[in-house]
Amino acid sequence: MSYDSQTNVKQWNKKEIRKNTGKLVRGVLIYELIMFVTIITDVTLKIIIYSRNVDFNVDKVLDKAVRSGTSSIISVFLGLIFLFVYFRKSDCRKLIFYTGEKMTGLSFLILLTVFMSAQAAFSILGGGMELGFNQFGYSILGEIEDASSNSSTVSMLLYASFIGPVSEEIIFRGFVMRGFEKYGARYAVVMSAVIFGLFHGNLIQSIFAGLVGLVLGYTAMKYSIKWAVLLHIINNFVFGDLLTRLLSGMNESLQSMVLYGIEGAFLAGTVVLMLMKKTEIREKMKGIKIDRGLLGVTFSSIWLLIFIAFQLFQGISGIEKLN
């Protein structure tokens, strides 16, 4: 199904839509549960093993576990095995690696520019939200730092920069997006972006992930999931870990200037592109319609409501009271 295909909701009834939504979201929830159990098990085993040492310090063990990506890598492989079995009879499994139009160098550059401009939005929004929470005596600085922190171990670098992006694209632009595609390509892109954003369980990162999820979904739907994976890796590795390490020798002020300069360049590029193609964008926006009734039925799924509540709880728990 092409990205330009329209939503056809008449042939589907509410029960089928809720059932499909429930199956997709339930799979993501169980995947997340597998991650939690694996990581908690790893931390527990580390505490038991290191507790035998004379100089045992639980805080140091927990810090070491957090900085290590080993348990996350293991949990991802276990989770993906589960999902491939869970969706073994579903059409979405067959469509994950579907290839659409041929990607050109110019098209990829445009997508990369729009994708990376979200970093500037993240910085502006993060700063604005922090100031807003500060007015009421609270802070989300911890969540902002968690969302923008770079890897401190090789295993975490492998997870955050490569294994994480590949697995997330298979899950959200694969199973989830393709699972919603039978109700319309645009609807599938939007819903996969919403669920992808919420999955992060971090107030500021969820908004950022939701925005870039739209670009990743469009890319996977129109071209191929491999291009979405590449965009994701470029963001996490090149403009995340690699760039941070290259700038590590500079003082903090200069680092900030370079990073903000790069973000500003991508944002400016996006604005220029929008101005150049404003007529084309306006015409396309007129044709982008998602049936409100379809969205209403989707968001009445009990499993989606449970998922939203769980992720919001995680996000809210990251709000800290100012000292």
Side-chain angles (χ1 to χ4, degrees):
M1 182 180 291
S2 70
Y3 181 77
D4 293 323
S5 59
Q6 298 293 321
T7 298
N8 184 1
V9 69
K10 293 181 179 179
Q11 60 179 309
W12 307 100
N13 60 48
K14 293 180 179 180
K15 186 177 179 181
E16 286 175 319
I17 295 169
R18 290 195 188 100
K19 182 179 178 181
N20 182 69
T21 303
K23 182 176 178 63
L24 295 171
V25 175
R26 192 163 58 246
V28 175
L29 270 171
I30 296 174
Y31 171 86
E32 191 170 8
L33 179 62
I34 290 171
M35 291 192 73
F36 278 135
V37 171
T38 305
I39 292 170
I40 290 171
T41 301
D42 178 65
V43 172
T44 304
L45 289 174
K46 279 185 170 64
I47 291 174
I48 293 172
I49 293 170
Y50 288 110
S51 63
R52 299 169 185 172
N53 298 337
V54 178
D55 60 343
F56 170 71
N57 185 305
V58 67
D59 290 331
K60 288 184 178 179
V61 174
L62 290 174
D63 181 63
K64 186 176 181 181
V66 169
R67 289 187 290 108
S68 173
T70 304
S71 58
S72 296
I73 292 171
I74 294 171
S75 66
V76 162
F77 281 111
L78 292 176
L80 285 177
I81 289 171
F82 159 74
L83 288 176
F84 273 100
V85 174
Y86 180 77
F87 289 112
R88 64 189 181 279
K89 295 181 180 179
S90 301
D91 290 337
C92 62
R93 177 176 166 174
K94 304 172 186 175
L95 295 170
I96 290 176
F97 302 106
Y98 168 81
T99 299
E101 296 179 22
K102 183 180 180 180
M103 177 70 80
T104 64
L106 179 59
S107 295
F108 186 78
L109 182 60
I110 290 172
L111 286 169
L112 179 63
T113 301
V114 175
F115 181 86
M116 293 307 303
S117 67
Q119 290 284 2
F122 171 78
S123 298
I124 296 169
L125 184 61
M129 288 180 67
E130 174 64 10
L131 285 174
F133 275 103
N134 288 170
Q135 302 307 307
F136 298 95
Y138 292 93
S139 172
I140 58 167
L141 192 59
E143 291 203 339
I144 294 173
E145 290 175 348
D146 288 342
S148 56
S149 61
N150 62 314
S151 306
S152 57
T153 62
V154 174
S155 58
M156 183 55 78
L157 174 66
L158 286 172
Y159 170 71
S161 297
F162 301 100
I163 296 173
V166 172
S167 62
E168 287 181 358
E169 290 312 304
I170 290 174
I171 295 166
F172 297 100
R173 260 60 65 179
F175 293 119
V176 175
M177 188 180 75
R178 295 301 179 180
F180 280 119
E181 188 181 2
K182 55 189 170 185
Y183 305 115
R186 297 188 182 104
Y187 164 78
V189 169
V190 170
M191 284 308 305
S192 63
V194 169
I195 294 173
F196 176 60
L198 288 167
F199 175 78
H200 287 76
N202 178 310
L203 291 180
I204 183 65
Q205 192 176 11
S206 290
I207 297 172
F208 170 74
L211 289 174
V212 299
L214 293 172
V215 182
L216 292 168
Y218 172 85
T219 302
M221 184 69 76
K222 186 169 185 178
Y223 299 100
S224 168
I225 195 173
K226 67 182 181 183
W227 295 111
V229 169
L230 183 57
L231 282 174
H232 206 147
I233 289 175
I234 289 174
N235 174 70
N236 288 27
F237 176 59
V238 178
F239 291 103
D241 276 289
L242 184 60
L243 183 60
T244 303
R245 292 174 193 281
L246 290 174
L247 300 177
S248 60
M250 302 179 181
N251 61 58
E252 289 188 11
S253 297
L254 193 54
Q255 283 186 45
S256 297
M257 287 178 63
V258 173
L259 290 172
Y260 288 143
I262 293 172
E263 291 175 5
F266 279 116
L267 182 60
T270 300
V271 172
V272 170
L273 285 169
M274 291 177 68
L275 290 173
M276 289 174 61
K277 296 181 176 290
K278 60 182 180 181
T279 303
E280 183 181 338
I281 293 172
R282 192 182 298 116
E283 291 301 315
K284 283 191 175 182
M285 290 299 291
K286 289 180 182 179
I288 298 177
K289 292 181 181 179
I290 299 175
D291 191 282
R292 292 182 181 179
L294 177 59
L295 288 174
V297 175
T298 302
F299 280 91
S300 67
S301 164
I302 186 64
W303 281 104
L304 182 55
L305 294 174
I306 291 172
F307 178 76
I308 292 171
F310 179 61
Q311 305 305 331
L312 286 178
F313 173 77
Q314 289 188 76
I316 292 171
S317 65
I319 302 173
E320 302 172 333
K321 193 169 181 63
L322 286 173
N323 295 324

